């Protein structure tokens, strides 16, 4: 059995006897001599890249993506009998950390500080004695209602950080209930009017395309901040720019966009009160060696694999 491993992340895989591992260049087509592989481990490859490999990897039986969301693999069109597993859990800490960074940078106006430093200007408008909860502005997580849309493993890692800083965390997912002490509902529209912060962690699927549209942005209070660290396609970017421009929301921070890299002529660059990071939240899959090694051993032994994606 031959297993293809990506060259853009170091993987120390414990391969069972009889299993050959081959490291391939993710920026190039799989070499012809390795198209007989039965297992593909992918990281950082887009749907178009993977789609081009579908007719070439004719013996493929299993695809392991190291991404938390399997949308690129699913969009590539691998045959239905090819097993797909994802990297759920590998990005929990790093994405939670980056989410918190973007949120605090936004509400604490780090962007204003950076620009003021460039201008050699003391930004007195955000310094000195300030009210804890100024009208129309969010400046602290103390007492803030934070709604996390997409309450999976990343959200469960993030929630205690937010709670420790004084936030009231609510979750939204496909099924309601209580998860790790957080109340989770299945009705996002009911949560938005009370949200001081909306954090988006929903996957990029046909049914979630532009899920945050003009109607839902209008449900948010004028001081609310939006942070998207899920998938860029889930936000209507034109509607977001309009909301930021007319001040109908307080601000936003995006780690993901509809098109990546974000084109230089995108209106997002000039939108007020918007922070943009270059899809930097989950660039380091933590624990990938153990996941791939476990799943490879289970695959060879005919046992259940972890993080199987329902298709």
């Amino acid at each position: 059995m031959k297993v293809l491993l990506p060259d853009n992340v170091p993987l120390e895989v414990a391969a069972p006897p009889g299993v050959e591992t081959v490291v391939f260049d993710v920026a190039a087509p799989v070499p012809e001599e390795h198209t007989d592989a039965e297992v593909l481990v992918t990281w950082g490859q887009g749907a178009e890249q993977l789609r081009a490999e579908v007719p070439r990897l004719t013996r493929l039986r299993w695809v392991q993506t190291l991404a938390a969301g399997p949308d690129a693999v699913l969009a590539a069109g691998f045959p239905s009998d090819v097993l797909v597993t994802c990297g759920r859990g590998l990005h929990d800490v790093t994405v939670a950390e980056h989410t918190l960074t973007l949120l605090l940078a936004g509400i604490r106006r780090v962007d204003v500080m950076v620009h003021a430093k460039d201008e050699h200007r003391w930004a007195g408008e955000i310094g000195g004695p300030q009210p804890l909860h100024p009208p129309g502005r969010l400046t602290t997580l103390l007492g803030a209602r934070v709604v996390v849309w997409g309450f999976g493993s990343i959200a469960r890692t993030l929630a205690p950080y937010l709670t420790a800083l004084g936030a009231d965390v609510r979750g939204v997912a496909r099924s309601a209930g209580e998860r790790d002490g957080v109340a989770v509902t299945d009705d996002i529209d009911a949560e938005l009017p009370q949200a001081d912060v909306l954090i988006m962690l929903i996957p990029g699927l046909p049914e979630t395309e532009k899920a945050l549209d003009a109607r839902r942005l209008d449900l948010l209070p004028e001081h609310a901040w939006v942070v998207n660290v899920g998938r860029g396609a889930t936000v209507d970017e034109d509607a977001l720019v309009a909301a930021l421009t007319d001040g109908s929301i307080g601000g936003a921070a995006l780690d993901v966009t509809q098109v990546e890299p974000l084109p230089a002529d995108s209106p997002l660059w000039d939108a007020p009160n918007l922070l943009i990071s270059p899809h930097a939240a989950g660039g380091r899959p933590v624990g990938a060696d153990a996941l791939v090694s476990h799943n490879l051993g289970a695959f060879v032994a005919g046992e259940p694999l972890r993080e199987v994606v329902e298709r």
Side-chain angles (χ1 to χ4, degrees), residues 108-114 116 122-130 137:
R108 286 291 187 168
R109 300 319 309 260
V110 172
D111 58 326
V112 173
M113 300 177 203
V114 170
W122 185 260
E125 69 273 22
I126 60 171
Q130 299 280 340
R137 286 197 299 134

Side-chain angles (χ1 to χ4, degrees), residues 147-151 170-174 183-188 191:
V147 175
V148 183
W149 190 4
F151 209 85
R170 300 275 295 182
V172 178
R174 283 177 292 185
V184 177
T185 178
D186 59 1
D187 189 351
I188 183 62
E191 290 295 326

Side-chain angles (χ1 to χ4, degrees), residues 254-278:
L254 305 177
D255 184 54
V256 289
T257 54
Q258 176 78 48
V259 177
E260 297 179 1
L262 185 64
D265 60 354
S266 169
L268 289 171
W269 291 116
D270 296 316
N273 299 324
L274 176 62
L275 303 179
I276 298 174
S277 63

Side-chain angles (χ1 to χ4, degrees), residues 62 83-86 88 295 304-311:
W62 164 38
L83 182 68
V84 175
T85 54
C86 70
R88 187 182 298 112
N295 274 354
L305 278 63
R306 293 177 184 167
E307 308 305 340
V308 173
V309 177
E310 297 295 332
R311 303 177 67 190

Side-chain angles (χ1 to χ4, degrees), residues 3-291:
V3 178
L4 297 176
L5 301 176
D7 69 347
N8 56 353
V9 59
L11 289 173
E12 296 183 6
V13 175
V19 173
E20 176 189 4
T21 59
V22 175
V23 177
F24 73 101
D25 180 358
V26 298
V30 172
E32 193 65 34
E33 65 268 27
H34 297 311
T35 56
D36 59 343
E38 296 181 53
V39 179
L40 170 65
V41 179
T42 177
W43 170 237
Q45 293 174 290
E48 289 299 323
Q49 276 184 292
L50 294 171
R51 187 175 294 117
E53 301 292 359
V54 171
R56 301 181 68 237
L57 301 176
T58 57
R59 297 185 60 187
L60 202 64
R61 299 167 54 201
W62 164 38
V63 178
Q64 167 75 66
T65 175
L66 302 183
D71 41 301
V73 173
L74 297 179
F78 287 100
S80 59
D81 60 347
V82 174
L83 182 68
V84 175
T85 54
C86 70
R88 187 182 298 112
L90 302 183
H91 307 277
D92 292 357
V93 173
T94 54
V95 175
E97 181 180 62
H98 196 79
T99 304
L100 192 60
T101 299
L102 288 176
L103 176 55
L104 290 176
I107 66 175
R108 286 291 187 168
R109 300 319 309 260
V110 172
D111 58 326
V112 173
M113 300 177 203
V114 170
H115 291 310
K117 177 180 178 294
D118 291 341
E119 299 166 357
H120 295 200
R121 182 179 70 85
W122 185 260
E125 69 273 22
I126 60 171
Q130 299 280 340
L132 184 62
H133 298 291
R137 286 197 299 134
L138 179 66
T139 62
T140 179
L141 289 179
L142 284 169
R145 170 72 69 91
V146 178
V147 175
V148 183
W149 190 4
F151 209 85
S153 62
I154 294 173
R156 290 195 294 270
T157 300
L158 174 64
Y161 299 165
L162 296 167
T163 301
L165 292 174
D168 172 23
V169 181
R170 300 275 295 182
V172 178
R174 283 177 292 185
S175 57
E178 184 174 304
R179 302 180 191 177
D180 296 349
V182 175
V184 177
T185 178
D186 59 1
D187 189 351
I188 183 62
D189 289 356
E191 290 295 326
L192 292 178
Q194 289 79 43
D196 299 303
V197 175
L198 171 64
I199 295 174
M200 297 184 63
L201 284 163
I202 58 177
L205 301 170
E207 58 266 33
T208 62
E209 185 173 355
K210 296 185 179 180
L212 185 65
D213 55 11
R215 181 186 68 81
R216 283 185 167 138
L217 283 165
D218 194 50
L219 292 176
L220 288 164
E222 289 188 354
H223 65 271
W225 272 74
V226 173
V227 180
N228 187 17
V229 287
R231 289 292 183 265
T234 62
V235 173
D236 183 332
E237 293 178 353
D238 291 338
L240 178 63
V241 169
L244 291 167
T245 301
D246 66 21
S248 59
I249 62 170
L254 305 177
D255 184 54
V256 289
T257 54
Q258 176 78 48
V259 177
E260 297 179 1
L262 185 64
D265 60 354
S266 169
L268 289 171
W269 291 116
D270 296 316
N273 299 324
L274 176 62
L275 303 179
I276 298 174
S277 63
H279 206 144
R284 300 157 297 280
V286 179
D289 308 280
L291 177 63

